PDB file of all heavy atoms in Angstrom:
ATOM      1  N   ILE B  20     -69.758-114.012  -3.583  1.00 98.00           N
ATOM      2  CA  ILE B  20     -69.161-115.194  -2.906  1.00 98.00           C
ATOM      3  C   ILE B  20     -68.588-114.794  -1.538  1.00 98.00           C
ATOM      4  O   ILE B  20     -68.833-115.461  -0.540  1.00 98.00           O
ATOM      5  CB  ILE B  20     -68.066-115.835  -3.784  1.00 98.00           C
ATOM      6  CG1 ILE B  20     -68.702-116.409  -5.066  1.00 98.00           C
ATOM      7  CG2 ILE B  20     -67.317-116.946  -3.022  1.00 98.00           C
ATOM      8  CD1 ILE B  20     -67.696-116.838  -6.127  1.00 98.00           C
ATOM      9  N   GLU B  21     -67.879-113.677  -1.516  1.00 98.00           N
ATOM     10  CA  GLU B  21     -67.274-113.204  -0.270  1.00 98.00           C
ATOM     11  C   GLU B  21     -68.355-112.952   0.795  1.00 98.00           C
ATOM     12  O   GLU B  21     -68.200-113.350   1.951  1.00 98.00           O
ATOM     13  CB  GLU B  21     -66.460-111.930  -0.553  1.00 98.00           C
ATOM     14  CG  GLU B  21     -65.650-111.397   0.603  1.00 98.00           C
ATOM     15  CD  GLU B  21     -64.774-112.450   1.265  1.00 98.00           C
ATOM     16  OE1 GLU B  21     -64.215-113.314   0.558  1.00 98.00           O
ATOM     17  OE2 GLU B  21     -64.651-112.446   2.525  1.00 98.00           O
ATOM     18  N   PHE B  22     -69.408-112.292   0.414  1.00 98.00           N
ATOM     19  CA  PHE B  22     -70.526-112.033   1.357  1.00 98.00           C
ATOM     20  C   PHE B  22     -71.071-113.341   1.904  1.00 98.00           C
ATOM     21  O   PHE B  22     -71.245-113.487   3.119  1.00 98.00           O
ATOM     22  CB  PHE B  22     -71.641-111.242   0.619  1.00 98.00           C
ATOM     23  CG  PHE B  22     -72.836-110.960   1.475  1.00 98.00           C
ATOM     24  CD1 PHE B  22     -73.013-109.735   2.103  1.00 98.00           C
ATOM     25  CD2 PHE B  22     -73.854-111.918   1.658  1.00 98.00           C
ATOM     26  CE1 PHE B  22     -74.125-109.453   2.886  1.00 98.00           C
ATOM     27  CE2 PHE B  22     -74.985-111.657   2.438  1.00 98.00           C
ATOM     28  CZ  PHE B  22     -75.117-110.421   3.052  1.00 98.00           C
ATOM     29  N   LEU B  23     -71.344-114.276   1.019  1.00 98.00           N
ATOM     30  CA  LEU B  23     -71.954-115.526   1.473  1.00 98.00           C
ATOM     31  C   LEU B  23     -71.005-116.333   2.352  1.00 98.00           C
ATOM     32  O   LEU B  23     -71.432-117.003   3.286  1.00 98.00           O
ATOM     33  CB  LEU B  23     -72.445-116.344   0.261  1.00 98.00           C
ATOM     34  CG  LEU B  23     -73.644-115.688  -0.437  1.00 98.00           C
ATOM     35  CD1 LEU B  23     -73.940-116.368  -1.766  1.00 98.00           C
ATOM     36  CD2 LEU B  23     -74.882-115.719   0.463  1.00 98.00           C
ATOM     37  N   LYS B  24     -69.703-116.256   2.048  1.00 98.00           N
ATOM     38  CA  LYS B  24     -68.731-116.946   2.915  1.00 98.00           C
ATOM     39  C   LYS B  24     -68.796-116.391   4.336  1.00 98.00           C
ATOM     40  O   LYS B  24     -68.654-117.106   5.306  1.00 98.00           O
ATOM     41  CB  LYS B  24     -67.301-116.763   2.345  1.00 98.00           C
ATOM     42  CG  LYS B  24     -66.961-117.759   1.265  1.00 98.00           C
ATOM     43  CD  LYS B  24     -65.512-117.637   0.868  1.00 98.00           C
ATOM     44  CE  LYS B  24     -65.173-118.668  -0.190  1.00 98.00           C
ATOM     45  NZ  LYS B  24     -63.932-118.301  -0.933  1.00 98.00           N
ATOM     46  N   GLN B  25     -69.001-115.095   4.441  1.00 98.00           N
ATOM     47  CA  GLN B  25     -69.036-114.489   5.760  1.00 98.00           C
ATOM     48  C   GLN B  25     -70.360-114.654   6.481  1.00 98.00           C
ATOM     49  O   GLN B  25     -70.432-114.669   7.703  1.00 98.00           O
ATOM     50  CB  GLN B  25     -68.741-112.958   5.667  1.00 98.00           C
ATOM     51  CG  GLN B  25     -67.312-112.646   5.302  1.00 98.00           C
ATOM     52  CD  GLN B  25     -67.064-111.144   5.314  1.00 98.00           C
ATOM     53  OE1 GLN B  25     -67.488-110.410   6.188  1.00 98.00           O
ATOM     54  NE2 GLN B  25     -66.354-110.676   4.287  1.00 98.00           N
ATOM     55  N   VAL B  26     -71.440-114.796   5.703  1.00 98.00           N
ATOM     56  CA  VAL B  26     -72.748-114.689   6.284  1.00 98.00           C
ATOM     57  C   VAL B  26     -73.547-116.003   6.369  1.00 98.00           C
ATOM     58  O   VAL B  26     -74.223-116.281   7.357  1.00 98.00           O
ATOM     59  CB  VAL B  26     -73.587-113.621   5.524  1.00 98.00           C
ATOM     60  CG1 VAL B  26     -75.047-113.629   5.967  1.00 98.00           C
ATOM     61  CG2 VAL B  26     -72.984-112.243   5.728  1.00 98.00           C
ATOM     62  N   ASP B  27     -73.396-116.830   5.335  1.00 98.00           N
ATOM     63  CA  ASP B  27     -74.323-117.972   5.233  1.00 98.00           C
ATOM     64  C   ASP B  27     -74.242-118.923   6.438  1.00 98.00           C
ATOM     65  O   ASP B  27     -75.251-119.274   7.037  1.00 98.00           O
ATOM     66  CB  ASP B  27     -74.110-118.748   3.930  1.00 98.00           C
ATOM     67  CG  ASP B  27     -75.149-119.823   3.770  1.00 98.00           C
ATOM     68  OD1 ASP B  27     -76.329-119.484   3.531  1.00 98.00           O
ATOM     69  OD2 ASP B  27     -74.824-121.005   3.922  1.00 98.00           O
ATOM     70  N   ALA B  28     -73.031-119.319   6.797  1.00 97.00           N
ATOM     71  CA  ALA B  28     -72.896-120.290   7.911  1.00 97.00           C
ATOM     72  C   ALA B  28     -73.424-119.733   9.218  1.00 97.00           C
ATOM     73  O   ALA B  28     -74.024-120.461  10.028  1.00 97.00           O
ATOM     74  CB  ALA B  28     -71.419-120.684   8.062  1.00 97.00           C
ATOM     75  N   VAL B  29     -73.256-118.426   9.407  1.00 96.00           N
ATOM     76  CA  VAL B  29     -73.733-117.775  10.637  1.00 96.00           C
ATOM     77  C   VAL B  29     -75.263-117.793  10.707  1.00 96.00           C
ATOM     78  O   VAL B  29     -75.860-117.613  11.774  1.00 96.00           O
ATOM     79  CB  VAL B  29     -73.211-116.295  10.706  1.00 96.00           C
ATOM     80  CG1 VAL B  29     -73.424-115.704  12.076  1.00 96.00           C
ATOM     81  CG2 VAL B  29     -71.728-116.237  10.336  1.00 96.00           C
ATOM     82  N   CYS B  30     -75.897-117.998   9.542  1.00 97.00           N
ATOM     83  CA  CYS B  30     -77.353-117.963   9.500  1.00 97.00           C
ATOM     84  C   CYS B  30     -77.974-119.361   9.663  1.00 97.00           C
ATOM     85  O   CYS B  30     -79.194-119.524   9.431  1.00 97.00           O
ATOM     86  CB  CYS B  30     -77.811-117.338   8.201  1.00 97.00           C
ATOM     87  SG  CYS B  30     -77.519-115.542   8.181  1.00 97.00           S
ATOM     88  N   ALA B  31     -77.180-120.342  10.062  1.00 96.00           N
ATOM     89  CA  ALA B  31     -77.753-121.661  10.366  1.00 96.00           C
ATOM     90  C   ALA B  31     -78.611-121.511  11.599  1.00 96.00           C
ATOM     91  O   ALA B  31     -78.325-120.681  12.489  1.00 96.00           O
ATOM     92  CB  ALA B  31     -76.642-122.668  10.592  1.00 96.00           C
ATOM     93  N   ASN B  32     -79.675-122.253  11.675  1.00 92.00           N
ATOM     94  CA  ASN B  32     -80.542-122.297  12.859  1.00 92.00           C
ATOM     95  C   ASN B  32     -81.268-121.004  13.185  1.00 92.00           C
ATOM     96  O   ASN B  32     -81.629-120.764  14.331  1.00 92.00           O
ATOM     97  CB  ASN B  32     -79.763-122.739  14.114  1.00 92.00           C
ATOM     98  CG  ASN B  32     -79.009-124.013  13.888  1.00 92.00           C
ATOM     99  OD1 ASN B  32     -79.573-124.954  13.282  1.00 92.00           O
ATOM    100  ND2 ASN B  32     -77.764-124.066  14.293  1.00 92.00           N
ATOM    101  N   LEU B  33     -81.467-120.139  12.207  1.00 95.00           N
ATOM    102  CA  LEU B  33     -82.302-118.970  12.450  1.00 95.00           C
ATOM    103  C   LEU B  33     -83.742-119.424  12.617  1.00 95.00           C
ATOM    104  O   LEU B  33     -84.162-120.397  12.014  1.00 95.00           O
ATOM    105  CB  LEU B  33     -82.253-117.995  11.269  1.00 95.00           C
ATOM    106  CG  LEU B  33     -80.974-117.208  11.018  1.00 95.00           C
ATOM    107  CD1 LEU B  33     -81.121-116.372   9.739  1.00 95.00           C
ATOM    108  CD2 LEU B  33     -80.631-116.324  12.209  1.00 95.00           C
ATOM    109  N   THR B  34     -84.509-118.677  13.408  1.00 94.00           N
ATOM    110  CA  THR B  34     -85.916-119.064  13.564  1.00 94.00           C
ATOM    111  C   THR B  34     -86.793-118.424  12.508  1.00 94.00           C
ATOM    112  O   THR B  34     -87.992-118.633  12.470  1.00 94.00           O
ATOM    113  CB  THR B  34     -86.421-118.678  14.969  1.00 94.00           C
ATOM    114  OG1 THR B  34     -86.148-117.305  15.166  1.00 94.00           O
ATOM    115  CG2 THR B  34     -85.763-119.501  16.037  1.00 94.00           C
ATOM    116  N   LEU B  35     -86.169-117.566  11.682  1.00 97.00           N
ATOM    117  CA  LEU B  35     -86.920-116.956  10.611  1.00 97.00           C
ATOM    118  C   LEU B  35     -86.306-117.347   9.276  1.00 97.00           C
ATOM    119  O   LEU B  35     -85.243-117.955   9.221  1.00 97.00           O
ATOM    120  CB  LEU B  35     -86.911-115.432  10.780  1.00 97.00           C
ATOM    121  CG  LEU B  35     -85.606-114.725  11.085  1.00 97.00           C
ATOM    122  CD1 LEU B  35     -84.727-114.588   9.891  1.00 97.00           C
ATOM    123  CD2 LEU B  35     -85.897-113.342  11.648  1.00 97.00           C
ATOM    124  N   GLU B  36     -86.988-117.004   8.182  1.00 98.00           N
ATOM    125  CA  GLU B  36     -86.434-117.241   6.854  1.00 98.00           C
ATOM    126  C   GLU B  36     -85.663-115.979   6.455  1.00 98.00           C
ATOM    127  O   GLU B  36     -86.150-114.866   6.665  1.00 98.00           O
ATOM    128  CB  GLU B  36     -87.543-117.527   5.846  1.00 98.00           C
ATOM    129  CG  GLU B  36     -88.205-118.878   6.084  1.00 98.00           C
ATOM    130  CD  GLU B  36     -89.400-119.092   5.177  1.00 98.00           C
ATOM    131  OE1 GLU B  36     -89.491-118.495   4.079  1.00 98.00           O
ATOM    132  OE2 GLU B  36     -90.286-119.866   5.597  1.00 98.00           O
ATOM    133  N   ALA B  37     -84.485-116.162   5.899  1.00 98.00           N
ATOM    134  CA  ALA B  37     -83.673-115.018   5.491  1.00 98.00           C
ATOM    135  C   ALA B  37     -82.995-115.320   4.178  1.00 98.00           C
ATOM    136  O   ALA B  37     -82.702-116.484   3.860  1.00 98.00           O
ATOM    137  CB  ALA B  37     -82.638-114.699   6.563  1.00 98.00           C
TER     138      ALA B  37
END
Side-chain angles (χ1 to χ4, degrees):
I20 295 170
E21 186 51 37
F22 178 97
L23 291 170
K24 277 187 178 160
Q25 289 184 43
V26 171
D27 187 70
V29 192
C30 289
N32 308 316
L33 288 178
T34 53
L35 46 77
E36 289 174 26

